[in-house]
Amino acid sequence: AYFRALYLRLVHIESLEAAGQREKACAALEKGRAEVLANAEKIEDPLFRRHYVEEAIEPRRILELANAWLVGG
C-alpha cells in the first residue's frame, strides 16, 4: 500500500500532462515531490534512503519529473 499511493500520484501527474494540463500536473508534482522527500527523511539508514530516492521506481520518477518540470527542480 505504501508505494501504491505514489504509483497513483505518478499516474495522475502523467495523465494531466498527457491531457495538456501542465499547470495542474506541476501542482500535483509539487505535492508528490514533497511526499517523496518527507518519506525519505523518515528512512534512517542512508543506504535504504538512497535506494528509495534513486532506485525505487515511483519516487525516482517523481523526482526526475520535478527536476525537469519545476523551477528549482
Side-chain angles (χ1 to χ4, degrees):
Y2 183 68
F3 284 101
R4 190 173 308 152
L6 286 178
Y7 173 76
L8 293 175
R9 185 177 296 280
L10 182 58
V11 168
H12 180 237
I13 291 164
E14 292 181 330
S15 296
L16 288 168
E17 171 66 11
Q21 298 183 32
R22 185 70 174 261
E23 189 173 315
K24 289 181 180 182
C26 286
L29 185 54
E30 287 177 351
K31 292 178 183 178
R33 178 179 58 183
E35 182 178 352
V36 167
L37 296 177
N39 291 342
E41 286 182 20
K42 296 174 189 174
I43 302 172
E44 294 181 16
D45 185 300
L47 183 61
F48 290 146
R49 185 179 324 110
R50 181 174 170 219
H51 173 80
Y52 174 75
V53 297
E54 294 180 6
E55 298 179 34
I57 295 168
E58 290 84 2
R60 183 188 74 222
R61 179 70 177 146
I62 287 171
L63 294 178
E64 288 172 349
L65 290 175
N67 286 332
W69 294 359
L70 301 178
V71 175

